[in-house]
Amino acid sequence: MNILLIGSGGREHALAWAISNSPLLTKLYASPGNAGIGQVADLVSLAIEDHGAVIAFCREKAIDFVVVGPEAPLVAGLVDDLTAAGIKAFGPTRAAARLEGSKAFTKGVCDEAGIPTAAYARFDNKDPALAYVREKGAPIVVKADGLAAGKGVVVAMTLDEAVEAVEACFDGSFGDAGAEVVIEEFLTGEEASFFVLVDGATALPLATAQDHKRAFDGDQGPNTGGMGAYSPAPVMTEELVARTLSDIIEPTVATMARRGTPFKGVLYAGLMITENGPKLIEYNTRFGDPECQVLMVRLKDDILTLMLAAADGTLDKVSARWKDDVAMTVVMAAKGYPGSYKKGTEIRNLDDAAQDPDIEIFHAGTKADGDRILANGGRVLNITAVGKSVEDARDKAYTAIARIDWPDGFCRSDIGWRAISREKSSKDR
């Protein structure tokens, strides 16, 4: 098959890496891609927002299947337009992608389906929203309703932070995404990421993962798009996986189908594991980044076969098997991220750092300049390791990082700390 992959981040490099190993693959194209994706795919420059241009390229290159990586093209209806043109695609329709594109929409689905989630209120005007946060107090969570590149959620630990977050939304800091605001109760517990492939009716569970949202060690600093992840997530026991499926995923899939907007693609549930069980924090309608990286290196089966089954409505005919090993990815970001940062700084010694067969370095924000690799974004590299334990994977990842010569980059030094604490405590018993 000829495949077109849409996207340019670490998630897309991990998908490109996995797809490139598929026995079904004839030719892989990617747009816009990055320096790492360019090692396994032909990079093409397409205006992704111009759906007609994407369709024309698919016809020119006889593309059999389009894999849409990021959320923005999904919310913009790229899959709808490809399907209307007779081109098979992986990902939800515009209507189904509202599960990520509108937090208020998802809360409505939760209300209709009885899905456990944080108590909330929604506002399209600043003054009532400010009155609400002052009434409820802190800690409290303020969310811009729409897509805000991972930056539209503020976990406000003080009332001043909450007021500032509300004002930022309504003052245009997040553009149209902040025209409506969802304000939620602060949930206490441990976060986990749960992924399923969905074909409109059947949900096929994938592996669990846990990521680190905060920029700095000790889960301090501002929220980011994710500074590292590991899989499996020890907090997600078999019982919790079963409860997540029965209480959250399956009611969502059934409700979307009943509404006439069946969900197809990958559904990513961000969960809070509370003392009362799992609660839904939010849905994403694509693979997580950096969780996709750890999932792809643990997956035994062919990702292309699984994605085709989701698109074709045949997930009940396939299964997903996983390596027993633990996978960890550590994000190297440009200094200053998630604030302002420099682009164009050179990264050296990547080949040396990736010599261990248990290491894969996925590129996120990079570009090639001849033989040089330059930083071209905030989150730039995902150093991904496979090991027998979280500690083993952690040691391999940080050994590889020590070999990378990039003075303008930084990373957290404590990725996986919760799971490593669990491993040590279980050994001590």
Side-chain angles (χ1 to χ4, degrees):
M1 301 180 73
N2 294 328
I3 309 296
L4 171 62
L5 172 65
I6 303 293
S8 63
R11 165 185 52 227
E12 285 78 32
H13 189 188
L15 289 171
W17 174 82
I19 291 168
S20 71
N21 293 316
S22 172
L24 300 178
L25 181 68
T26 302
K27 184 78 173 176
L28 177 59
Y29 299 91
S31 182
N34 61 39
I37 296 171
Q39 296 167 7
V40 294
D42 282 6
L43 301 187
V44 291
S45 181
L46 294 172
I48 302 305
E49 65 279 2
D50 182 349
H51 297 180
V54 176
I55 290 165
F57 175 83
C58 290
R59 288 179 172 151
E60 177 192 345
K61 298 296 185 181
I63 298 296
D64 299 291
F65 192 44
V66 178
V67 177
V68 184
E71 61 274 20
L74 297 170
V75 171
L78 178 56
V79 168
D80 305 65
D81 290 342
L82 287 166
T83 302
I87 300 162
K88 190 179 296 188
F90 176 79
T93 61
R94 184 202 314 261
R98 290 189 72 197
L99 284 171
E100 178 165 5
S102 169
K103 295 174 180 67
F105 174 84
T106 296
K107 286 295 192 180
V109 171
C110 289
D111 290 344
E112 183 176 331
I115 293 166
T117 187
Y120 75 101
R122 49 194 285 194
F123 301 92
D124 57 10
N125 189 283
K126 180 167 70 173
D127 290 339
L130 289 173
Y132 183 81
V133 297
R134 290 183 175 119
E135 175 195 342
K136 293 295 182 182
I140 198 164
V141 181
V142 179
K143 297 181 175 182
D145 177 62
L147 296 182
K151 297 178 177 63
V153 176
V154 174
V155 181
M157 301 310 291
T158 67
L159 185 56
D160 284 347
E161 286 179 316
V163 168
E164 185 179 329
V166 170
E167 289 180 338
C169 286
F170 286 112
D171 291 350
S173 294
F174 306 109
D176 292 343
E180 185 169 357
V181 171
V182 173
I183 301 174
E184 296 181 349
E185 69 169 321
F186 174 81
L187 294 176
T188 301
E190 188 170 343
E191 287 191 50
S193 304
F194 190 76
F195 297 85
V196 292
L197 291 176
V198 185
D199 65 2
T202 298
L204 175 68
L206 302 179
T208 61
Q210 193 163 42
D211 79 336
H212 297 258
K213 290 281 189 223
R214 301 281 187 168
F216 308 127
D217 284 8
D219 292 328
Q220 300 298 307
N223 267 337
T224 71
M227 294 301 292
Y230 53 92
S231 174
V235 68
M236 289 298 290
T237 62
E238 285 187 17
E239 180 203 356
L240 282 173
V241 167
R243 284 185 66 180
T244 300
L245 279 169
S246 64
D247 297 354
I248 296 174
I249 301 295
E250 289 169 356
T252 300
V253 173
T255 299
M256 294 296 286
R258 187 170 60 249
R259 287 180 166 203
T261 54
F263 187 92
K264 290 186 174 186
V266 62
L267 191 58
Y268 158 16
L271 305 173
M272 183 68 78
I273 310 305
T274 72
E275 59 183 11
N276 297 317
K279 289 193 174 185
L280 181 70
I281 300 172
E282 64 180 7
Y283 272 131
N284 294 319
T285 60
R286 35 72 189 181
F287 282 104
D289 188 346
E291 294 98 331
C292 183
Q293 290 82 314
V294 291
L295 294 182
M296 290 304 106
V297 297
R298 288 191 61 223
L299 180 63
K300 284 183 175 180
D301 290 298
D302 175 29
I303 187 61
L304 197 47
T305 297
L306 296 177
M307 291 193 291
L308 283 164
D312 290 339
T314 57
L315 277 177
D316 58 339
K317 306 290 195 299
V318 298
S319 62
R321 298 170 300 160
W322 304 91
K323 296 174 185 174
D324 292 333
D325 291 340
V326 172
M328 176 182 289
T329 191
V330 180
V331 172
M332 291 193 76
K335 286 180 179 176
Y337 175 82
S340 59
Y341 52 83
K342 280 197 301 184
K343 290 185 178 182
T345 58
E346 186 174 359
I347 306 164
R348 302 179 181 88
N349 289 358
L350 288 176
D351 289 343
D352 180 51
Q355 282 184 352
D356 185 333
D358 288 336
I359 293 287
E360 294 290 341
I361 298 179
F362 296 120
H363 292 227
T366 66
K367 68 175 181 180
D369 177 29
D371 292 335
R372 301 193 308 155
I373 301 295
L374 304 181
N376 193 43
R379 292 187 299 165
V380 176
L381 297 170
N382 311 137
I383 291 77
T384 308
V386 174
K388 297 302 179 188
S389 64
V390 184
E391 192 168 16
D392 183 31
R394 188 268 317 265
D395 290 346
K396 290 176 180 176
Y398 283 108
T399 296
I401 287 169
R403 292 182 176 140
I404 295 172
D405 179 9
W406 184 32
D408 292 281
F410 81 99
C411 65
R412 282 183 54 165
S413 66
D414 64 345
I415 300 302
W417 68 268
R418 285 183 189 271
I420 290 168
S421 297
R422 275 196 175 88
E423 285 181 349
K424 287 180 175 174
S425 64
S426 65
K427 286 178 187 174
D428 293 340
R429 287 196 197 108

